[in-house]
Amino acid sequence: VPYGSLELYTAIEDTYWQEYLVATDKIREGEGGVLLTVQTEGMGNVTGGGSYPAGDTVTFTAETYPGYTFLGWYEGENLLSEEMIYTFEVPMSATNYTAKFAVRDDMANFVFTSDRYSCVITGIKDSSVTEIVVPDCVTDISLGAFINCTSVTSITLPIASRNLGYYFGAEDNSNNDAYIPRSLKTVVLSEKVRNIGGSAFYNCNRLTSIVISNQLTSIGCDAFMNCSIYQRHSGMVQNFV
């Protein structure tokens, strides 16, 4: 009975399409079968390891972590499937497979860490931007992640549990006004935001508006203390002064 020789690779592709092979699989000596091992580096997970004779049906499964996208299963440069679950018959000859991942386009300007359950922004690559749009896949933003974004006029956030100044370096909400860029006038809270934390916009004197969706269910104590800010909600404007 002939056996196939199968190798599985995982690959990261950044915005410049640089590919890094991070795992090599070998046939176990004397078994005559196929050994699949998988190693990934923070962009997702791949399953389907084991020993298989040629002709067997094998299923590979890819899982992307927040902030990344799955490009597909490849044999060399040939795209085999873009589906996360790929079922195939083990070939007679030695074959290398690659699972390719890439950073999502909307995360390309952010420095971030990610795992199965979280995605944390720790910095930004181009701090000269005038608009920051944080995607809904982000679960947290580190202290001072946007500290050098001194020209930003608008920021869109999927979370509102921390004080706004925290993202610009203010550990305490009383320092919000000192750390938030003078250029920042508008905050947009995405539909993911259900709650605005207490003192979230405390002392944010230069903000002129906050845009929210109808998904918001609660506003914490002193969320708008010592600031003049407006809420746009279902076409209505309410002054929180």
Side-chain angles (χ1 to χ4, degrees):
V1 179
Y3 288 86
S5 174
L6 184 64
E7 296 185 358
L8 172 63
Y9 295 90
T10 59
I12 304 174
E13 295 198 0
D14 64 16
T15 54
Y16 299 99
W17 292 84
Q18 295 173 319
E19 182 177 331
Y20 303 90
L21 299 182
V22 298
T24 302
D25 311 313
K26 302 177 181 178
I27 302 174
R28 284 194 290 216
E29 185 176 356
E31 284 194 358
V34 175
L35 173 66
L36 302 181
T37 60
V38 178
Q39 177 186 355
T40 58
E41 294 190 351
M43 71 288 191
N45 187 42
V46 180
T47 59
S51 296
Y52 310 99
D56 268 18
T57 298
V58 176
T59 297
F60 289 159
T61 302
E63 174 193 13
T64 56
Y65 291 162
Y68 296 95
T69 187
F70 180 65
L71 299 180
W73 300 98
Y74 285 77
E75 180 183 349
E77 296 301 316
N78 180 37
L79 174 63
L80 301 174
S81 175
E82 294 179 335
E83 298 297 321
M84 303 285 281
I85 299 175
Y86 177 52
T87 300
F88 63 101
E89 186 176 289
V90 176
M92 300 285 291
S93 59
T95 306
N96 298 334
Y97 291 91
T98 304
K100 294 186 179 181
F101 298 81
V103 175
R104 284 172 33 167
D105 289 343
D106 57 1
M107 290 293 291
N109 194 36
F110 299 108
V111 180
F112 66 98
T113 61
S114 182
D115 59 28
R116 179 174 291 176
Y117 305 107
S118 65
C119 180
V120 181
I121 290 177
T122 59
I124 193 165
K125 297 175 184 178
D126 180 10
S127 59
S128 67
V129 294
T130 57
E131 181 181 19
I132 297 174
V133 179
V134 179
D136 281 351
C137 66
V138 173
T139 58
D140 202 359
I141 303 170
S142 296
L143 174 66
F146 305 142
I147 194 169
N148 294 318
C149 299
T150 56
S151 299
V152 64
T153 61
S154 174
I155 185 169
T156 299
L157 298 169
I159 48 178
S161 56
R162 299 185 185 276
N163 58 296
L164 182 62
Y166 184 89
Y167 311 131
F168 298 93
E171 295 187 51
D172 187 274
N173 57 46
S174 64
N175 292 324
N176 271 344
D177 190 52
Y179 282 84
I180 293 174
R182 292 182 175 276
S183 57
L184 183 59
K185 302 299 181 183
T186 301
V187 175
V188 179
L189 301 181
S190 75
E191 291 190 356
K192 183 180 177 181
V193 176
R194 299 292 188 271
N195 307 293
I196 296 177
S199 301
F201 300 99
Y202 183 86
N203 273 350
C204 294
N205 296 312
R206 288 184 295 272
L207 288 181
T208 58
S209 65
I210 178 170
V211 182
I212 66 174
S213 77
N214 58 9
Q215 301 301 313
L216 187 70
T217 59
S218 67
I219 299 175
C221 181
D222 296 333
F224 302 102
M225 178 67 70
N226 296 337
C227 65
S228 178
I229 194 165
Y230 295 85
Q231 177 196 37
R232 295 176 189 170
H233 183 197
S234 301
M236 300 179 66
V237 179
Q238 178 181 351
N239 193 343
F240 278 94
V241 177

